Amino acid sequence: MRHLLSAADLDRTTAIQILDTAHELARLTERGVKKLPTLRGRTVVNLFFEDSTRTRISFEAAAKRLSADVINFSAKGSSVSKGESLKDTALTLEAMGADAVVIRHGSSGAPHVLAHSGWISSAVVNAGDGTHEHPTQALLDAFTLRQHLREGKGDLEGVEIAIVGDVLHSRVARSNVLLLHTLGAKVTLVAPPTLLPVGVETWPCDFSYDIDEALTNKDAVMMLRVQRERMNAAFFPSPQEYSRRYGLDRRRMNLLKPDGIVMHPGPMNRGLEISSEAADSEKSVIVEQVTNGVSVRMAVLYMALGGNEISGDAQ
Ligand code: NCD
């Protein structure tokens, strides 16, 4: 694997290989080996043009646990705010000898441009581009589902998942639909008609406007954040109305299978798409998703950079 730009880049074998590598890395971390020498001497640049807390910290922790040198670049306070182009930023990173660039950008397709422009020779990992894709989020979600529903092994054949909320603006939903389909899971998207993208009927999933029906007997529900920063119009009458029609509360959560799980990529709008009661319930794996994100991103960096053999020798 050279770049990771889209969940569609991953066939079932490669996706399972990443999940298995992440599983192995998580096991080592649990054993107390927090740092592996695998990427010693390599440089990973986190190039973040959009705000982020958990994804940036997660990639930073992942790279550091593999002993890479990490450079954090955020557009605010950099020459980007003086109007420097993506091309000039890329040329600077190349001149500094970056081996991998992890990019988050407000424009859909920016990671693709970076990977295929010829400006840089490093591996490119998409950490979220506009409303397009967020493949490492989909991988960490698949990892979390696999831990809970498949004892951390194999694919997700036959697993049934509802993804609920602002699908229109969600790169998390797009990447998850693609990856979960590749892994054999059955996805139902649930949203008001205004928050489903045009052409959703061509996606490899079902869709519904009825949350209660869609959640019944599912293995998992993934709630999406209402992305108000990407909304330029009124997509629903009021927050109260949205919450009543599409919010996850305890009653709805209990429609899932008895061992069904509740997921959310964060950051959550508590009281809007999810109640605190559901977010903090025994069914919620939201905090585990964050933990799993580090192992999965370690696996992605490891595979993109072709690191040395994974071994449990601490440095
Ligand atoms: C997501 C993102 O940035 O796309 N968050 C994340 O990566 N943890 C989802 C979101 O912002 O709602």
Side-chain angles (χ1 to χ4, degrees):
M1 187 176 75
R2 177 84 187 110
H3 306 295
L4 179 57
L5 305 175
S6 159
D9 297 343
L10 304 170
D11 58 22
R12 197 181 284 210
T13 311
T14 315
I16 291 177
Q17 204 184 346
I18 296 174
L19 299 179
D20 287 347
T21 306
H23 188 79
E24 183 65 14
L25 290 164
R27 223 178 40 84
L28 287 173
T29 312
E30 268 162 32
R31 267 192 9 215
V33 186
K34 281 270 193 298
K35 195 154 171 153
L36 302 168
T38 320
L39 295 182
R40 194 189 280 152
R42 308 295 192 87
T43 301
V44 175
V45 177
N46 285 327
L47 186 59
F48 277 63
F49 293 91
E50 252 192 13
D51 294 342
S52 167
T53 311
R54 70 209 82 215
T55 304
R56 195 187 57 70
I57 294 175
S58 182
F59 269 107
E60 182 173 353
K64 286 185 169 162
R65 283 189 194 171
L66 293 173
S67 305
D69 294 318
V70 182
I71 298 174
N72 287 315
F73 175 107
S74 70
K76 227 178 255 158
S78 78
S79 293
V80 170
S81 58
K82 298 181 188 163
E84 188 166 56
S85 66
L86 182 60
K87 176 173 178 175
D88 288 323
T89 306
L91 293 175
T92 304
L93 300 181
E94 179 69 6
M96 287 179 180
D99 295 295
V101 176
V102 176
I103 176 172
R104 168 167 286 199
H105 202 287
S107 302
S108 302
H112 193 270
V113 171
L114 197 62
H116 298 295
S117 56
W119 301 329
I120 56 169
S121 53
S122 54
V124 176
V125 178
N126 181 1
D129 61 330
T131 57
H132 180 224
E133 282 225 38
H134 193 356
T136 60
Q137 178 71 42
L139 282 164
L140 79 86
D141 290 334
F143 183 93
T144 306
L145 286 161
R146 209 173 73 139
Q147 295 293 82
H148 278 271
L149 305 169
R150 291 289 180 268
E151 290 172 355
K153 295 192 197 75
D155 57 27
L156 294 172
E157 196 64 53
V159 168
E160 295 190 20
I161 302 152
I163 301 182
V164 183
D166 184 1
V167 179
L168 181 65
H169 301 104
S170 177
R171 51 198 180 203
V172 174
R174 267 177 194 69
S175 288
N176 260 298
V177 166
L178 293 168
L179 183 68
L180 292 171
H181 173 72
T182 300
L183 291 171
K186 193 170 162 300
V187 178
T188 306
L189 295 173
V190 186
T194 49
L195 288 175
L196 279 176
V198 174
V200 72
E201 54 294 334
T202 65
W203 294 20
C205 61
D206 297 332
F207 65 94
S208 165
Y209 307 131
D210 182 344
I211 183 171
D212 285 3
E213 189 188 311
L215 291 195
T216 304
N217 278 324
K218 288 287 190 292
D219 294 293
V221 61
M222 194 181 291
M223 299 306 297
L224 301 172
R225 184 173 64 88
V226 174
Q227 308 214 355
R228 278 180 278 205
E229 79 279 18
R230 299 191 206 277
M231 291 187 182
N232 51 9
F235 287 89
F236 45 83
S238 70
Q240 292 75 11
E241 173 77 359
Y242 181 87
S243 195
R244 199 175 60 73
R245 295 281 306 271
Y246 289 98
L248 187 72
D249 56 13
R250 178 166 289 278
R251 181 188 66 77
R252 285 188 171 142
M253 185 178 82
N254 287 335
L255 296 171
L256 298 172
K257 283 189 184 156
D259 55 355
I261 56 174
V262 172
M263 307 172 76
H264 192 302
M268 289 185 270
N269 294 307
R270 284 176 183 255
L272 183 55
E273 71 265 3
I274 189 165
S275 71
S276 276
E277 213 190 347
D280 301 329
S281 74
E282 64 296 339
K283 282 185 178 299
S284 168
V285 298
I286 296 169
V287 178
E288 273 174 58
Q289 286 174 269
V290 178
T291 307
N292 295 340
V294 178
S295 312
V296 161
R297 288 169 178 130
M298 285 170 83
V300 167
L301 290 173
Y302 169 76
M303 287 180 66
L305 290 174
N308 306 324
E309 195 84 341
I310 297 174
S311 74
D313 305 334
Q315 339 200 74

